[in-house]
Structures are given as structure tokens and as C-alpha cells.
Amino acid sequence: MADDADSQRSSPVLQLLASGLQLWIRQQCEALESLELQLHGSSLGLLRGRLEGVSLVARRVVFSSLEFEMVELRSDAIQLQVGNLLRGRAVQLDHPFQISGYVAFSGAGLSRSMCTPHWRPLGDQLVDGLLGLMPLQNLSIERDRLVLQAQDRRCETVPRAVNGALELCSSEGGPCVALPADPNINIREANLEGGLLQLHGSARVSP
């Protein structure tokens, strides 16, 4: 990591690309408290259209009305065209690439997210499947349980990664509800730790 950081600081092309990527990421988010970005590769490799990867750590992110407490990602090698970059234009990606890492959500952040118009239907779908009631009133994390409430009733659930998707199962032996799966996202592990819902996995990003 130190070698990559030194290379990035000493290379005007990598610095330019890093600045462009940071600006692009911030423009995609409704809010972003902090962002650390690390490029892996060399100027020569970049001029040949190949970046060995990108690592990022972001905190307190809001993307598509969904609040993330923490995001840590690392990409595989990326093929790109740098001609536009050198002319002050946006970088053009040539091929899909993989990213892996983890995201973490707080209970308060999830509760606020599920109350937005974008995510409310999903929140209602969850409590309907778990409690047979709607709408979702609150979502919280209590110890090692994800707790959903509707009409003064509550259901303690345990998150699980099942076939690449997230599933919530009642801790009292009740029903399980699977969240809609995205074929480009593979969730390998889901757990509750330190008051956060943590999801580990990978995703395929297409230009």
C-alpha cells in the first residue's frame, strides 16, 4: 500500500485520475462525510489502458437514499481509455470489472432509509412478511438482533446470506423473508457486530 501511495503521489497521471474519480464518486452520492481513495498501478500501465485496481474507504455515505455507515471496497484490474482524461474529459471504461469488500449500516440509518419514498415499499414488504402488518414504523439494532416494528408489534430477526442474497429470519422460529436479489451482487456473509449490520461480498460493475 505504501508503494502504491508513493507512486500515486509522484505520478501526475495517477493524481489526475484519482482527483477525477473522487469528484465522480462524490457526485454520485447525496452525502459523503469522508473518502479515502487509493489507486494501484503505474503511470506506464495506465497509459497502456490498465489500472491494477482501486481501493476506497468512505464514511457516512448516502447513495440512492440509502445510508451507509461505512464502505470499504477494492476493485480488480480495470481496463480504461485515458485519452479523454489527458484531454480533461471523463475517463471511459472499456470492460466490466469486479469489486469486493464490505458495507455497514447503523440501525438509525436503516430506519431513516426505509422511511424514504424510495425504500418504503421494501420496508413494508419486510414487516408484512415477518409480522403480517404494515407499514414499517421503526427499525433498530439491539445487541445481536435486527428489530422491525409495525403497529406496536416487533419482530427480532437474524440476518443471513443465502444464495448470494440477504435474508431476515425471525429469531423465534418464525418466517424468513428474502430481500430482492440483484444478479450483479453476491453477498457472502451477513452479521451484526458493534451495533452495525455488516454485509461482505462482491459485485460486478458494468460500464
Side-chain angles (χ1 to χ4, degrees):
M1 292 290 288
D3 291 342
D4 286 324
D6 291 341
S7 174
Q8 183 174 324
R9 284 193 294 268
S10 63
S11 167
V13 178
L14 286 175
Q15 287 178 2
L16 183 61
L17 179 57
S19 297
L21 284 174
Q22 288 205 30
L23 177 61
W24 181 82
I25 291 170
R26 289 183 179 278
Q27 289 175 338
Q28 306 310 305
C29 300
E30 290 111 79
L32 198 162
E33 182 177 285
S34 67
L35 173 65
E36 300 171 24
L37 191 70
Q38 180 70 57
L39 304 188
H40 306 281
S42 65
S43 295
L44 181 59
L46 183 59
L47 291 173
R48 291 173 175 170
R50 180 182 174 88
L51 187 65
E52 295 305 319
V54 177
S55 299
L56 71 82
V57 177
R59 295 174 176 83
R60 303 286 175 84
V61 180
V62 181
F63 175 75
S64 190
S65 300
L66 187 60
E67 294 189 24
F68 298 82
E69 192 70 18
M70 173 75 76
V71 178
E72 290 191 14
L73 300 174
R74 167 73 189 252
S75 80
D76 289 345
I78 301 173
Q79 299 293 326
L80 45 80
Q81 295 181 15
V82 295
N84 286 340
L85 174 68
L86 298 175
R87 290 189 288 269
R89 301 174 186 171
V91 175
Q92 182 177 345
L93 301 179
D94 288 338
H95 304 285
F97 58 93
Q98 290 286 124
I99 59 173
S100 60
Y102 95 100
V103 296
F105 307 87
S106 69
L110 280 174
S111 189
R112 287 190 294 267
S113 299
M114 292 300 159
C115 288
T116 64
H118 186 89
W119 295 104
R120 182 177 292 279
L122 175 59
D124 291 347
Q125 176 185 332
L126 291 175
V127 289
D128 186 33
L130 292 164
L131 291 169
L133 298 171
M134 291 192 300
L136 173 69
Q137 293 176 315
N138 187 55
L139 190 154
S140 61
I141 296 175
E142 299 179 10
R143 299 177 300 280
D144 59 347
R145 296 290 186 267
L146 189 63
V147 182
L148 291 84
Q149 292 181 266
Q151 297 185 24
D152 298 324
R153 287 184 57 191
R154 50 185 274 145
C155 179
E156 296 187 0
T157 69
V158 177
R160 302 191 308 175
V162 179
N163 297 324
L166 178 64
E167 187 173 272
L168 299 182
C169 292
S170 171
S171 61
E172 299 178 352
C176 294
V177 176
L179 278 72
D182 185 325
N184 292 311
I185 297 176
N186 178 45
I187 299 174
R188 295 191 304 269
E189 180 184 349
N191 58 63
L192 293 167
E193 185 176 333
L196 299 173
L197 169 63
Q198 300 185 6
L199 305 180
H200 300 255
S202 59
R204 177 182 172 87
V205 178
S206 298

